[in-house]
Every structure is written in structure tokens, then in C-alpha cells.
Amino acid sequence: MVASYEGVALVAPYSHPYQRYSNDSAHWWIAKALRGSLEMAGLTTRDIDGFCASSFTLFPDTAVALTQHFGISPRWLDHIPMGGASGIVALRRAARAVQAGDASVVACVAGDTNHIDSFRNLLSGFSRSALDASYPYGYGGPNANFALLTDRYMHEFGATREDFGRLCVDQRANALRATGAVMKKPLSLAQYLGAMMIADPIALFDCVMPCAGAEAFLVMSVEEATRRGLPFATLSAAIERHNAHADDPIQLRGGWTVDIDTLWQMAQAGPGDMDLVQTYDDYPVISFMQIEDLGFCAKGGAADFLRGRDTTVTGDFPHNTSGGQLSGGQAGAAGGYIGLVEAIRQVTGQAGGTQVAEARRALVSGFGMINFDRGVCSAAAVLQTGVRA
Amino acid sequence: MTDPLVPPPRKDPQKRSVSPTRPPEWRSRAAMGLTAAAAETRFALQSCTECGALQYPPRDACRSCLGTDLPWVDADPAGTLLAETTVRHSTKLYFRERVPWRMGSVQLDAGPVVLCHLHPDVTPRARVRMTNRLDRAGQGVLIALPQTPTPHMQEAPIMRAVTSDPKLRRVLITDARAALTPALTRALLEAGAATVFVGLSEAWRGPLPQIEGAEVLPLDVTDTASVQKLAGEIGGKVDILINTARFLRPGGVLARGDTGFAATEMEVNAMGLMRLAQAFGPGMCGRTGDGVNNAVAWVNILDAHALSPDPAYGSFGASQAAARAIALSLRGEFRASGLRVMNAYVGPTEEDWFAPLPPPKVAPKALARDIVAGLQDGAEDIWCGDVARDLRDRWRADAKVLERELTMGGDAP
């Protein structure tokens, strides 16, 4: 049995408002989120002794260069280049550091900028296998990769575009309540279905919009959070897995399936106990996969499962309550934090317009790094209310 | 079923020419093995010498045993289409000008899964046959074809993009008096070439061999003014240039006594190629995006002894080695436009100056057939005749051993 994360507190969830394009650097965005989170906790950079960063656009720097850039002197430092799994992976590392005493206050930050044309440049060098074996074939980037998975998923399990559309429409409704979401126009199912095709069967509203943004939170001990009088969430369980099911000819499941029993045993809870769910949603098919692989329904059953449910903030299955990436925007590696930071807000009662009533337990999952034909990293965490705001 | 190509309308000079963009060309060194196989139109996969596992995408270590000796070996091209998409928006200009673009995921019977271009005649979830071709960036790419050939399948846009098929294209053959030229003209016209221009130097020299269907024009590759004049007249219409001009005399360095023949060999075989490239190359490079009859290929016919000379034809071999070096340099210089340099390596041909050599020799008709097939397949290197293939294999196995074998000399008394 994996040792528990008892005694660890997650505080000060901060999202810096996203922008479609930004002239500022990733350093600027990360600084904004770091300061935002520290200010929420009433701290300064002198109060942190652990630092963890995730970004795609920090080149040529890594987390170590940021210590000098920001004038911080941590005794514990990490750099997590795992895209959509970055948030939970960073949380796991930071939580263990705090438990072991290697750090007492760890700032976890993810941020990316989005210059004109920087998305194309990012795609141009995403991974060696992508360069060698997927970008030469139409250069569709993740759109084409996920189009293939979606095509196969629909063929295997009979999911329809309407099924994906309902999820996107509900997320847009959630985004309308969120202050930071980039997409602010209501979306109807008819608009979803009538949108232009990008890479069949993926259409416009199935794709995240690249943007600039940053997210941050702090990890400290429960005593420290209590001493400082901060609302905090606790970590009931967390898993990660990389390159699972490598022999599957096409990705219809992720690494969550390997570790799901560990997750729910650690959490001493089950899927039905969750008050809200935040999946990593660069494309709706991936949210479907997470809902299945984390045990909310059987493999291939997500369309049926969701058909009878309302996934808005006020619904019976609140999902991606801030609008997720599909309506919030994909701020690079910050996309791997968006659900986690929102979940901390939710269980600490700080979610404002998107607050799910009486939210006490949240499931967050992450999915990252499309390498050649599939996402390699998967992660999930169960958060629980420690002290509410 | 693919629609057959129709002859394109005359080009409107007022309209924009599609720019000579190319697909992504970054590859790891490991992935170059696919390109090397594609240059000869072979379908190959990395194979671990330790555990025998086949793998894809290319790696530097075996995913089964971490072995690092991973040569590319010819593989079974059969597979099943798992999933597909039609890319309608691409961030890469080459594709943006060519969408919608169909691609998919194929489970190979040999094991690995590949992402690939899809031929339009491949139906969903169908059995397919993989083929490995050079794209316009000069890199190997995989294309899933229908399991059994379909009518006009060679004429689909994806196939036009990865081959240099002569169909509806205009070809310049540089030397009307070369033994190869009549056979080559015939083969090109049979393959659907729209026009065959043939260059003729010094018309007073005697009767022309019978070249039916060709348009004969004055061209002397040893005369810069002549080459430039013809390029000025037809340079904008040449889609494929095939250099058949060649001067050849037997003899090594000592046998000659002077450098007269050697100078002419260099002048025709090496400098002639340079003159042609300087006059026709830039124009052809500018027309590689021109639609159905775009400029696609530059073909050199090189004696296989360009790799390692036969002392009995030592000075000719030197001119062939020089021509090969120029051809490889041109390949690099043309690459940015997508214009392909195809080298046809040939052993001794059936002609007077090779009379003292024993068989096998390459007949003009066989060489013409190989060149047209090479263009249709989109090859970059073709090896014509048994002697050329034998030299290739020995050169690849050990260039030094080949050199020693070719320069053996007589037994001591």
C-alpha cells in the first residue's frame, strides 16, 4: 500500500487571467501566478523554500534559471515537463517533499505564453517521435492525433458527435460563470454540430484554443496552513503512470486503469463519492476515456453514462467547472494545472461563480505529452476539504 | 476509384505560382534509415539484431531489449487501417496549400503501428499495403495503398506528390544522338508524357537516329550559349530533364598519352551537367508547385564505376565520379524546392566503346524502362543491369575490397 499523503495541505489556488495572444514571456506569466498565489497566502518569495515549474515556452531556461530570475533560493527544486499531467505530478513530488521535511512551503507553478505563431513553433519541435513519424503526415499536430483516437473510439463504442457535443456545451455553460475563461459566448449543440471540421471527426469546438496563462498553488503542512489561518485542501490519494499499455495498437485507455484500485483504496472512497470531477480535456474523447478509466462507468460506457447526466456546475455530475481547457483555453503546461487549481478552489469554498454547493471531495485527472500517436503520461488525485474559506 | 488526370489548362502567367514549399523535413538520424530505403522505394523497418523485434517509430534503442544495433530491414508491407482523419487545417504551409489531406493509423501484420498518408482508394478499416516513398522534402514517408491496385491509383494527388511520374509532364532529353534517346522517348510517351523535347548538337554531323514523337531542338552541352538559349526558349516548360549526353573512350591514365579525350569527357560528362543545371535548374526549382505539370525531377545517367573506377576506363571513370559529385551537390541545392535528383547508375551499355567488355550489358530499351519506372516510383537512386547492382552491393559491403578487386592488375611473372 502506498504511504498516505496525510498532513499535506494545498493552499492559495491562483489563476492569472488568460489571454489569446501575449507579447510577454513565460517568465512573466509564471511570475504573475507565483506572486498571485503567494499574495493569497500572505507570503513573499522569501517564505518559500521549494519551487516547481512547468512550461513549454521557457526555452532556453528551466526551473533552475527561474530561481535566479525571480530571486528565490529554494532548498528543493523541480521541473516537470509533462504537459497535461504536470499539475498532479508536481503535487505528488511537492507533497512528499513536505512530508519528508525537504521543504516546508513549495510553490507549484505552470505557465506559458502564446506569441503570434508560437503554437506552430511549439508543434514543430514537440517530440522526436512526432518529428520523425507523425508531423510529416499532414502536420495536423494534436488535432490529427486526437482525430484518429476519436475516430477509433466512435467506431469501437458507438459514441456520436452529439455525445461529445453535450459535454462541450455544458463546459461552455460553466465557462460563462467563470471569470478567467477565454470563451465567453454561449454554445448550443446545434452550433457544436454545425462547426467547421478541423480534422474529421474533430470539429472546431472539439479543439482547445492555445492561449497564454498561468496557474499556481502552494503545498505546505497542515500545521503550517493552520498556523497561518489559510483555507486548505488535503490530498487523499494520487497516482501517476507513464507509457502504460504500450502495446495497444491505438489509445482507447490510459494509465489510470493500471492504478485505479490504488487511487480509490488510498482515498477510502469511490467514484460515487465525488462531488465534482475535473478531467484533462484537450479533446472531449480524452475526458470520456478518463471518466471510464477512473471507474465512473465501464469501458466504452461514457456516452451512455453522460447521456443521463447534467455536467454543469449545478448539475448532478459537475465536470470541469471552470470551463476546462475547451472553454477556458489551453495555456500550454498551465492546462495541466487548470483542473487541479479549480478543484482546490472548489473544496475550499473559494470558487466564486463556479462554486459547486457543498463541494467536499473532488477528483482531478491529468493526461499529457502526445508522443507519436498517443498521450504518454496519466495522473489522478482525490482532494478533500481541509478548512473552507 | 481515383479520377484520371486531365491535361491542365495552359498556365496563366498573371496568376500566382504555388510556392515551392515542402513538408516537414526534420528527422532524427535514426529515422534517416527510412529515407535511405525510400530512395530505393523499399519498405523497411528497424530490426533489433539481438532480439529480432521490429519497431516503429525509429529509436536509438530496442524497446524490447535495449539493444542498440537496429538496422533497417525489408519488411512485410501488409496491414490494417485502424483509424483515419482528414486534416483540413494545418499549421505547415505545404499542407495548408494542399488540404484536405487524408492520413491514418495502420496496424502492420509485422507488429508495429505506423501513422501514414492514405491513398484515396483505401476504404475505412480496410486491409492495406504500405509503401515507402520520398516526399518533396526528400524524406521517407509511408503511404497506405489499397491491397489490390485500383484504376488510375498512380494519379491521385498523394502519388503525384511523392513520385515523378512522367504522365502529362514535359520532358527534355539532352542528347538526340545517345543510343538511349530513341528508346527513352518511346517509353516516356507510352507512360503518358505530354511532350518530349530532344536536344541535338551539330546537326551537320550526319543523319539523326529515328526519334518518333519528339520535338528536336538545338542543344550542345559543351557550349554555354547554346544551353542558355534553349533554357530561354523552353526552360519554363521542362518538368523532367534527363541528361543523356555522354562522351566516352576506353583507356586508363597512362594509355592515353595526353589529356585530350579526358578533357572532352570532363567537358561533356561533368561540365555539361553543370551548364545544364545552371541554365535549367533555377527555373525548374521555381515551378515545383505548379499543379499537375509541375517540375519534378532531374535525371542523371551515371556509370556505376562512378563509385569506384575500372582502370581500363580510368579517365571516363573520373568524369563519372565528378558528375556524381555534382549530382549529389545538386540534390542538396535543389532540395529546398522539392525538385528531385534521380541518379540512374548503369553498368556497361550496349555501345561501340564498351565492345571489349564481356556481357552482361544493358540494352537501351532496358535502361529506358528502368528510368521510366524509377520516375513512376519516385526513386532517387536506381541501379540498372546486373553489373551496376553487383558493384553497388560490393561497394556497400566494403569499398576498399571493391577498389582492390577492380584494380587487381596482372599476375607477376
Side-chain angles (χ1 to χ4, degrees):
Chain A
M1 190 65 203
V2 181
S4 91
Y5 291 99
E6 203 175 340
V8 172
L10 318 181
V11 308
Y14 178 81
S15 307
H16 198 73
Y18 292 5
Q19 279 174 22
R20 176 75 177 97
Y21 290 109
S22 167
N23 276 329
D24 296 308
S25 66
H27 304 65
W28 185 95
W29 283 92
I30 290 170
K32 285 287 183 194
L34 175 59
R35 175 136 109 189
S37 181
L38 289 173
E39 282 178 356
M40 274 185 86
L43 303 176
T44 71
T45 50
R46 279 176 294 283
D47 300 313
I48 56 171
D49 59 358
F51 181 66
C52 177
S54 296
S55 180
F56 288 122
T57 50
L58 207 49
F59 184 83
D61 284 347
T62 61
V64 62
L66 288 180
T67 62
Q68 203 176 20
H69 205 98
F70 296 156
I72 57 177
S73 182
R75 61 186 174 119
W76 182 95
L77 180 68
D78 209 345
H79 183 97
I80 312 271
M82 298 183 203
S86 295
I88 294 163
V89 172
L91 170 58
R92 278 164 56 89
R93 307 282 187 276
R96 292 306 187 201
V98 166
Q99 281 186 324
D102 287 349
S104 50
V105 180
V106 180
C108 297
V109 195
D112 268 295
T113 189
N114 187 42
H115 305 319
I116 302 282
D117 210 31
S118 69
F119 184 66
R120 193 177 65 93
N121 290 326
L122 174 65
L123 277 188
S124 303
F126 198 71
S127 80
R128 190 175 120 176
S129 295
L131 288 178
D132 282 344
S134 65
Y135 290 161
Y137 301 97
Y139 214 72
N143 289 339
N145 282 131
F146 284 103
L148 296 176
L149 306 192
T150 306
D151 176 56
R152 190 71 200 184
Y153 184 95
M154 291 168 79
H155 174 74
E156 291 278 333
F157 303 125
T160 63
R161 291 201 61 227
E162 283 84 347
D163 293 324
F164 296 128
R166 275 189 293 275
L167 194 78
C168 296
V169 166
D170 279 2
Q171 279 190 218
R172 183 59 59 87
N174 291 346
L176 299 181
R177 298 162 158 268
T179 47
V182 171
M183 312 287 198
K184 282 302 201 184
K185 267 198 236 163
L187 175 70
S188 71
L189 191 59
Q191 283 169 323
Y192 170 90
L193 293 171
M196 68 172 169
M197 279 290 165
I198 301 294
D200 309 21
I202 281 182
L204 184 64
F205 297 113
D206 293 303
C207 305
V208 287
M209 179 187 277
C211 63
E215 306 268 343
F217 61 91
L218 305 178
V219 181
M220 58 183 68
S221 65
V222 165
E223 294 85 64
E224 183 81 22
T226 307
R227 192 170 61 78
R228 293 180 181 274
L230 299 169
F232 66 87
T234 57
L235 180 57
S236 308
I239 54 169
E240 71 180 88
R241 180 67 61 170
H242 307 281
N243 197 33
H245 309 306
D247 291 327
D248 285 1
I250 190 164
Q251 187 168 42
L252 296 174
R253 58 179 172 164
W256 308 283
T257 51
V258 180
D259 304 292
I260 178 178
D261 293 342
T262 305
L263 179 79
W264 294 123
Q265 277 165 25
M266 272 186 95
Q268 296 182 312
D273 301 319
M274 298 299 108
D275 297 318
L276 59 112
V277 174
Q278 314 278 7
T279 63
Y280 186 81
D281 64 326
D282 45 358
Y283 299 83
V285 71
I286 301 308
S287 290
F288 277 42
M289 254 171 50
Q290 285 158 88
I291 287 166
E292 293 162 3
D293 292 354
L294 288 162
F296 291 92
C297 61
K299 189 76 233 169
D304 254 353
F305 174 80
L306 292 171
R307 226 169 264 152
R309 283 175 174 77
D310 176 351
T311 62
T312 63
V313 167
T314 53
D316 54 352
F317 188 73
H319 172 254
N320 289 358
T321 47
S322 63
Q325 294 190 89
L326 283 169
S327 284
Q330 181 174 48
Y337 270 55
I338 187 172
L340 177 54
V341 170
E342 170 71 2
I344 301 172
R345 277 194 290 264
Q346 287 284 349
V347 298
T348 54
Q350 301 179 92
T354 62
Q355 183 67 53
V356 173
E358 305 297 317
R360 292 191 50 78
R361 271 194 285 220
L363 175 79
V364 187
S365 54
F367 177 67
M369 306 312 285
I370 305 305
N371 195 35
F372 177 51
D373 65 339
R374 65 193 67 196
V376 176
C377 311
S378 59
V382 176
L383 309 190
Q384 199 158 341
T385 301
V387 170
R388 296 181 86 86
Chain B
M1 197 187 86
T2 310
D3 292 331
L5 284 178
V6 291
R10 187 180 285 270
K11 187 178 176 182
D12 179 350
Q14 303 282 350
K15 288 204 172 133
R16 180 178 84 102
S17 285
V18 174
S19 41
T21 49
R22 56 196 188 280
E25 56 192 330
W26 279 9
R27 296 292 192 280
S28 66
R29 190 159 195 273
M32 292 297 183
L34 190 75
T35 293
E40 298 184 340
T41 67
R42 293 183 293 108
F43 175 67
L45 293 171
Q46 268 186 322
S47 165
C48 178
T49 52
E50 283 182 54
C51 73
L54 292 172
Q55 66 177 355
Y56 190 89
R59 294 174 172 89
D60 294 332
C62 172
R63 67 181 285 258
S64 296
C65 74
L66 288 185
T68 51
D69 187 23
L70 301 163
W72 290 76
V73 299
D74 289 359
D76 176 5
T80 306
L81 182 59
L82 289 173
E84 62 176 277
T85 184
T86 301
V87 175
R88 295 175 192 277
H89 294 266
S90 178
T91 57
K92 187 82 184 166
L93 185 56
Y94 176 85
F95 291 113
R96 215 159 64 217
E97 291 185 323
R98 289 164 178 81
V99 290
W101 194 275
R102 193 165 174 237
M103 57 89 63
S105 163
V106 167
Q107 166 94 67
L108 299 174
D109 292 3
V113 171
V114 301
L115 301 187
C116 57
H117 300 301
L118 291 190
H119 190 282
D121 293 348
V122 169
T123 54
R125 330 283 160 202
R127 293 282 296 160
V128 296
R129 179 170 57 87
M130 299 309 300
T131 184
N132 178 22
R133 293 288 182 265
L134 294 174
D135 67 10
R136 285 294 152 195
Q139 297 286 30
V141 289
L142 300 173
I143 304 153
L145 302 178
Q147 198 175 22
T148 49
T150 54
H152 314 294
M153 64 182 287
Q154 182 76 4
E155 298 173 36
I158 177 65
M159 302 312 287
R160 293 293 276 189
V162 296
T163 69
S164 308
D165 197 308
K167 177 145 192 185
L168 294 185
R169 289 190 168 115
R170 297 156 299 193
V171 188
L172 169 63
I173 305 175
T174 56
D175 184 8
R177 289 197 205 281
L180 170 64
T181 299
L184 187 55
T185 303
R186 211 161 29 248
L188 287 163
L189 291 170
E190 277 166 16
T195 310
V196 177
F197 303 109
V198 170
L200 174 66
S201 69
E202 300 169 322
W204 52 265
R205 267 196 169 174
L208 197 61
Q210 206 60 40
I211 308 179
E212 227 171 292
E215 192 176 330
V216 181
L217 298 164
L219 174 68
D220 177 355
V221 301
T222 65
D223 174 0
T224 303
S226 159
V227 177
Q228 285 177 343
K229 183 163 182 291
L230 187 67
E233 287 166 16
I234 63 161
K237 297 189 232 178
V238 175
D239 304 323
I240 298 172
L241 185 150
I242 306 177
N243 185 15
T244 56
R246 182 162 85 163
F247 184 87
L248 144 72
R249 292 293 180 271
V253 174
L254 300 184
R256 291 267 172 89
D258 67 22
T259 55
F261 281 146
T264 311
E265 281 165 341
M266 284 293 177
E267 200 52 55
V268 175
N269 304 345
M271 298 307 136
L273 169 55
M274 273 182 92
R275 285 188 195 92
L276 288 165
Q278 287 165 356
F280 285 89
M284 289 177 74
C285 287
R287 287 187 42 257
T288 53
D290 252 10
V292 164
N293 53 357
N294 55 339
V296 281
W298 182 287
V299 182
N300 303 300
I301 295 149
L302 299 171
D303 192 286
H305 287 92
L307 301 176
S308 193
D310 172 359
Y313 290 82
S315 128
F316 170 67
S319 76
Q320 293 301 296
R324 176 169 183 266
I326 291 167
L328 297 190
S329 173
L330 286 177
R331 185 171 281 164
E333 294 177 69
F334 289 168
R335 187 81 84 200
S337 71
L339 183 66
R340 182 161 304 162
V341 172
M342 182 173 96
N343 287 335
Y345 293 93
V346 60
T349 47
E350 278 175 2
E351 63 183 281
D352 283 356
W353 298 111
F354 283 129
L357 294 181
K361 293 184 193 173
V362 180
K365 209 171 155 182
L367 179 52
R369 194 181 53 225
D370 284 354
I371 290 171
V372 171
L375 289 168
Q376 287 170 331
D377 286 344
E380 201 169 65
D381 292 312
I382 60 170
W383 305 85
C384 314
D386 295 324
V387 172
R389 285 192 286 271
D390 176 62
L391 276 169
R392 172 198 66 191
D393 293 344
R394 288 155 74 194
W395 179 67
R396 283 181 181 167
D398 194 323
K400 184 66 191 177
V401 171
L402 172 63
E403 175 206 309
R404 184 67 188 87
E405 287 172 329
L406 288 171
T407 59
M408 197 73 88
D411 238 351

